[in-house]
Amino acid sequence: MIVGLPGTGIGGMFYLLSALALPLREAIGRVRDRGHSVGWRVVARQTAIAGGILVGIWVTGLLLGAVLGTVRSHMAPGTGPHEGNAVRTAMLVLSFGTLAVVLFGVELLRLCLHRRTRLVTPIEPGSAAETQWPTERKVAVVGGGRGQGRGLILLVLLEIGTAAHPRTAVSQHGSVAAAGLARADSVFAAGDAKAAALAYAAVLAADPQNSRATYRLADLRRRDPKEALRLFQRYVALEPSDPWGYLAVADMLARLGRYHEAMQESDTALRLAPNERDAVMGRARVLVRAGRTDAAVVAYRQWLATHDRDPEAWREIARELVRAGRPGDAAHALERAQSQAFDPDVARRLAAVRAAAAPAFTPVVRGSRDSDGNTTLRLGGSAELSARGPTRMGITASREQVGDGFTTTGLDAVAVNATWRPRASLKVEAAAGAARFDGAGGSSATMVPTGAVRARWRAPARGPAFDLRAERSVIDASPLLVTNRVVRSELRGIVELPVAGGLKLRALGRAAALSDSAEVNHRTSFAGVVAFAATPSIEVSGQVHQLRYAHSSSAGYFAPRFAQIVEAGTYVEFEAGSVLCALDAGAGVQRVAAHGAHVGPWRRALRLYALIAVPLSPGLDLRLELDGEDSQIANETVTSGQWRYGSAMLSLRWALP
Amino acid sequence: MTVIVPAYNEAPSVGDTIRSLLGQTVPPHEIIVIDDCSTDGTGAVARALGVRVVRPASNTGSKAGAQTFGLRYVRTPLTVAIDADTVLAPDALERLLPAFDRPAVAAACGFVLPQRVRTLWERGRYIEYLFAFTFYKQVQECYGKPLISSGCFSMYRTAQLRAQGGWSSRTLAEDMDLTWSLYQGGHEVRFVPEAVCYPIEPRTFTLMATQLRRWSHGFVQNVKLHWRGLLTVPYLRSAVAVSFWDATVAAALYLVLLPILALLFASPWVLLGYVIDAPAVLVPVVAGAIRRGELRRALASVPAFFVLRTVNALFFLRAVGAELLLGRSLRVYEKGH
């Protein structure tokens, strides 16, 4: 087969230059003692042919010039014969230029496609790979460009230097790639991931289309999701019918937070292998990473409907059911997993989940003291019924003593609670009860109905969130407040919008009516928060709060006309062993304007909340909460204009077997 | 060495092929004719000449299929593949053998010249071969990278051939596919101009068109298949690139630009561009012809070369359009001659 336009085209020019360069190549080859040599006789013959062709070209040009000159002089007497020279020169330059561009393009393409893989190839002294680096540098020099003609000559010289170079050739051959692949596989099987990655990279340097090496290398680089994604995508391009490639791409995309693309890749994998476990489970796992807990549960359930003897699937759905607030169902799933393949770690998880689902009793003791000398002590407890499905019921009761060093009073509270979590993203809590104020100063005890409804919704995949609450409760921070039967009825809403990455905006609005036996006061407050979640358990924020009271009050709470708070806050949650710690702290400034007075100066405002949860044994959890404020106007229970406050609460949740 | 001869309805020519093999100065260990379910008695002709004839259960569909089928019967370190319409110069095998003294050599091919030089198409092919095998292929050999180990006559190291899985049917140019695979496998390929073979070339346009269609599509298919791997093979990458350029852009310019310029300038002189390189072509042709004592035949055949070259350009351009632009890959192997 003869390809192209034999004789003409840039092919002719290429072989002409190649032939003219043969003596040089042969000389270099003999100096370097290369194995392949065609001998001076052949070289001389080919060079002579090339010389003959040059003479032929020259004669052709001469004849062409003469013909054109003659034609021209006949048609337009007086014009010179020089146009023939111009045409010949233009043709020559065009041919050389085109050849140079094509050859340069090939070298550029080679550098683009093969350089990256070579960069990761281990280079041994004197190895074939080592000899390739100077080649690339030479091409880079050519790329620097001092004219196409010169570049062309350099390219041809480069080819002379590299063509048929045995060491270079050996580095590129497929059987070496095959042998390299076998070596890489054995290193991989031996568990040496670092050496295996180098070995697979070497295989790819020799054979960039080796799909097996591509997949393995990607697999070994999962810790670098971007690089792994690039390699897995390349694998998919090489093996477009392999669903596992799409699954791996989906996994990497999910790790990078590109959930929509990840789902598309998962769907492709599922289309290619609809009944394949890895495809179904892979899709479910992408849903998990995307935070789409409900969809993930559905995906796992679909698989388990026909493959109920898959302990891994049971374990994974159990984890999602816990996230969805369904410990009862999670316990059932883990029991199924354990019945098929016992795992001690899973046994511990099962015990914890059973405890979370079991009926429980939680005694609580809470005490507080503020800078005005008010103290409170609450003793109480709650009982939860067994969690079945999305609903959980319970009851709370407490007795609280409130004193200020001179007066002591108290109140009792009881409420029935219900929690309904139909979906992972939606949680509704409701409570209904009553508070009974002790009689004071000859008056009889008073009963006040209380209650609360709260709905929380958070979109999957860390989307926007809403928190709405309606509440009626008593204010019990001081004996005066209890005596005056101050009751707060409040509507509260929080909207959270993710912006980009971990950045989110939060807006809070509250409207409350504070009523007592003598009057009703109204308070409104707004807040804006810019928060950045560095990780799901670490958040920093900047907050601005503003609140207003309709009028001042003599019922026992501090009701300024206007108050502003600017603070920086942080929330950190971490686990030390099995102990969970959470810290919510804020530091800033605030200013207050009392009714009928000017706005006061900015003063410091500090707050701290800490939680420590210690699991003592399966089903027995100790919980300690600490709260402190140093603030002019921390919250509605502030009893004076300069206020400090501290409280501690200890509870022990005891799950009944 | 073992010679395998794939044959489908080659009764008129396979006898000459076998006789030329039997008359070699270094006779092969065995000659195996793969009768690819011929219907014209090819197997009987071959059997009558005393060679081994093997027959697959059904037609393999391509020369590559038949050759690979035959490879399973080879028990020698070297394998020669020769077309059933090709005859060898008496010393062709002897001339090829030294190429395998170098362990890295996996394939070697010889000089190809048409067996018959009578019609326009045969003459055009004669000049084409004379030019290319005297100049292009020899230069490629000097750089250690002959573009193709010709399918009509080549010798291979059997182990390397088996390692490649024999000849692949994934393209219509199995010889090019194998050669480029061998290069990418780090092996060497040699061109030995002293080892001469004489295939029967298409004598009519219909046969020539069938062959050119197969070759042109095969070339584009191989470029599509191997381009990444070829980038790692020095010199070959450049040779393939310029060939591809000439088969695409240059062919388009050659076929379209020259007539347009002629019309634009209203000058028939522009059409001289079609033969402007005649002196350059003549130099290697004359050099090759003189060595073979065929100068008169060569000079008489030169005009046919320019006709064939134009037709060749048309077919390559069409193949590029079909394979790369329209995505219509030719898959049916049509026997050209």
Side-chain angles (χ1 to χ4, degrees), chain A residues 167-524:
Chain A
R167 289 196 295 170
T168 306
V170 166
S171 73
Q172 296 156 345
H173 65 64
S175 62
V176 165
L181 188 61
R183 275 197 301 276
D185 282 344
S186 81
V187 175
F188 182 82
D192 188 344
K194 195 174 176 184
L198 287 171
Y200 285 120
V203 172
L204 286 178
D207 178 11
Q209 307 223 50
N210 192 307
S211 57
R212 182 185 174 83
T214 306
Y215 189 92
R216 278 282 169 84
L217 185 60
D219 209 24
L220 289 164
R221 293 197 172 153
R222 279 180 185 267
R223 288 188 178 180
D224 180 359
K226 282 185 181 171
E227 175 64 4
L229 174 63
R230 187 187 69 77
L231 287 164
F232 278 130
Q233 284 175 327
R234 172 151 176 69
Y235 174 79
V236 165
L238 292 169
E239 303 286 349
S241 58
D242 184 358
W244 279 265
Y246 294 96
L247 283 174
V249 170
D251 185 33
M252 288 302 111
L253 285 168
R255 286 185 192 208
L256 291 168
R258 293 158 64 180
Y259 301 120
H260 182 66
E261 294 167 75
M263 283 310 301
Q264 286 178 332
E265 298 291 335
S266 292
D267 290 342
T268 305
L270 201 58
R271 245 191 335 270
L272 288 169
N275 300 314
E276 188 60 52
R277 178 184 187 277
D278 285 354
V280 181
M281 294 282 283
R283 187 173 180 278
R285 285 165 184 158
V286 170
L287 288 166
V288 170
R289 281 193 180 277
R292 295 174 60 182
T293 307
D294 294 315
V297 168
V298 169
Y300 283 122
R301 282 208 167 123
Q302 282 173 348
W303 173 252
L304 287 165
T306 51
H307 303 82
D308 64 348
R309 301 186 69 78
D310 185 340
E312 189 181 22
W314 283 117
R315 285 194 284 267
E316 291 186 18
I317 195 176
R319 182 193 59 215
E320 293 312 298
L321 286 166
V322 169
R323 282 185 186 163
R326 314 272 287 270
D329 295 338
H332 170 72
L334 286 178
E335 284 163 4
R336 293 293 300 267
Q338 289 296 79
S339 68
Q340 285 150 26
F342 182 81
D343 183 325
D345 289 336
V346 176
R348 281 190 286 276
R349 275 177 61 197
L350 176 57
V353 172
R354 275 179 176 157
F361 174 68
T362 307
V364 176
V365 57
R366 177 179 181 276
S368 71
R369 183 179 180 85
D370 67 15
S371 55
D372 293 337
N374 299 304
T375 58
T376 65
L377 178 64
R378 182 190 297 170
L379 297 172
S382 66
E384 301 166 60
L385 299 177
S386 173
R388 292 288 175 199
T391 309
R392 180 150 216 189
M393 301 289 290
I395 186 168
T396 59
S398 64
R399 167 69 190 173
E400 186 169 13
Q401 288 288 338
V402 182
D404 58 6
F406 305 101
T407 312
T408 299
T409 185
L411 71 160
D412 304 302
V414 63
V416 176
N417 312 306
T419 303
W420 182 53
R421 197 163 180 185
R423 306 170 62 179
S425 54
L426 178 63
K427 185 176 184 180
V428 180
E429 296 162 282
R436 178 182 169 278
F437 294 99
D438 291 349
S443 63
S444 59
T446 308
M447 187 81 82
V448 174
T450 58
V453 177
R454 183 181 188 186
R456 280 181 281 182
W457 179 82
R458 176 176 286 281
R462 301 190 187 99
F466 299 92
D467 183 347
L468 301 172
R469 189 188 302 186
E471 186 179 22
R472 178 180 166 83
S473 58
V474 297
I475 300 179
D476 53 2
S478 69
L480 182 60
L481 288 164
V482 173
T483 304
N484 288 331
R485 277 63 167 148
V486 179
V487 176
R488 180 185 59 206
S489 300
E490 183 180 61
L491 283 172
R492 183 189 302 187
I494 302 174
V495 178
E496 182 181 286
L497 296 172
V499 179
L503 192 67
K504 46 198 170 187
L505 300 177
R506 211 173 283 147
L508 298 86
R510 300 171 73 173
L514 288 91
S515 58
D516 56 65
S517 52
E519 62 181 15
V520 177
N521 201 354
H522 290 93
R523 188 195 67 211
T524 54

Side-chain angles (χ1 to χ4, degrees), chain A residues 12-251:
Chain A
M13 199 67 77
F14 175 71
Y15 288 110
L16 180 65
L17 287 171
S18 297
L20 291 173
L22 272 178
L24 180 61
R25 182 191 175 277
E26 184 69 13
I28 292 172
R30 284 179 182 266
V31 169
R32 289 186 180 177
D33 196 23
R34 280 204 298 244
H36 175 66
S37 172
V38 290
W40 282 112
R41 201 173 149 194
V42 175
V43 169
R45 189 166 62 230
Q46 294 309 120
T47 310
I49 290 175
I53 291 172
L54 277 180
V55 171
I57 292 172
W58 181 75
V59 169
T60 307
L62 204 67
L63 290 173
L64 187 68
V67 169
L68 285 176
T70 307
V71 171
R72 187 77 177 167
S73 61
H74 278 293
M75 294 174 72
T79 50
H82 300 293
E83 287 185 7
N85 289 334
V87 170
R88 291 200 308 270
T89 307
M91 295 286 280
L92 204 63
V93 169
L94 189 65
S95 297
F96 268 103
T98 307
L99 178 58
V101 167
V102 170
L103 294 181
F104 187 58
V106 169
E107 295 301 321
L108 265 184
L109 190 62
R110 179 175 69 88
L111 285 175
C112 289
L113 287 178
H114 294 285
R115 190 175 178 196
R116 192 174 173 85
T117 45
R118 279 183 189 166
L119 284 173
V120 295
T121 307
I123 300 174
E124 296 170 11
S127 70
E130 189 187 34
T131 64
Q132 290 169 348
W133 284 97
T135 301
E136 290 184 357
R137 288 197 201 103
K138 283 179 193 169
V139 173
V141 169
V142 173
R146 293 186 186 178
Q148 288 183 331
R150 194 165 178 181
L152 174 64
I153 292 165
L154 282 171
L155 279 169
V156 171
L157 289 176
L158 175 62
E159 292 294 340
I160 294 164
T162 55
H165 195 300
R167 289 196 295 170
T168 306
V170 166
S171 73
Q172 296 156 345
H173 65 64
S175 62
V176 165
L181 188 61
R183 275 197 301 276
D185 282 344
S186 81
V187 175
F188 182 82
D192 188 344
K194 195 174 176 184
L198 287 171
Y200 285 120
V203 172
L204 286 178
D207 178 11
Q209 307 223 50
N210 192 307
S211 57
R212 182 185 174 83
T214 306
Y215 189 92
R216 278 282 169 84
L217 185 60
D219 209 24
L220 289 164
R221 293 197 172 153
R222 279 180 185 267
R223 288 188 178 180
D224 180 359
K226 282 185 181 171
E227 175 64 4
L229 174 63
R230 187 187 69 77
L231 287 164
F232 278 130
Q233 284 175 327
R234 172 151 176 69
Y235 174 79
V236 165
L238 292 169
E239 303 286 349
S241 58
D242 184 358
W244 279 265
Y246 294 96
L247 283 174
V249 170
D251 185 33

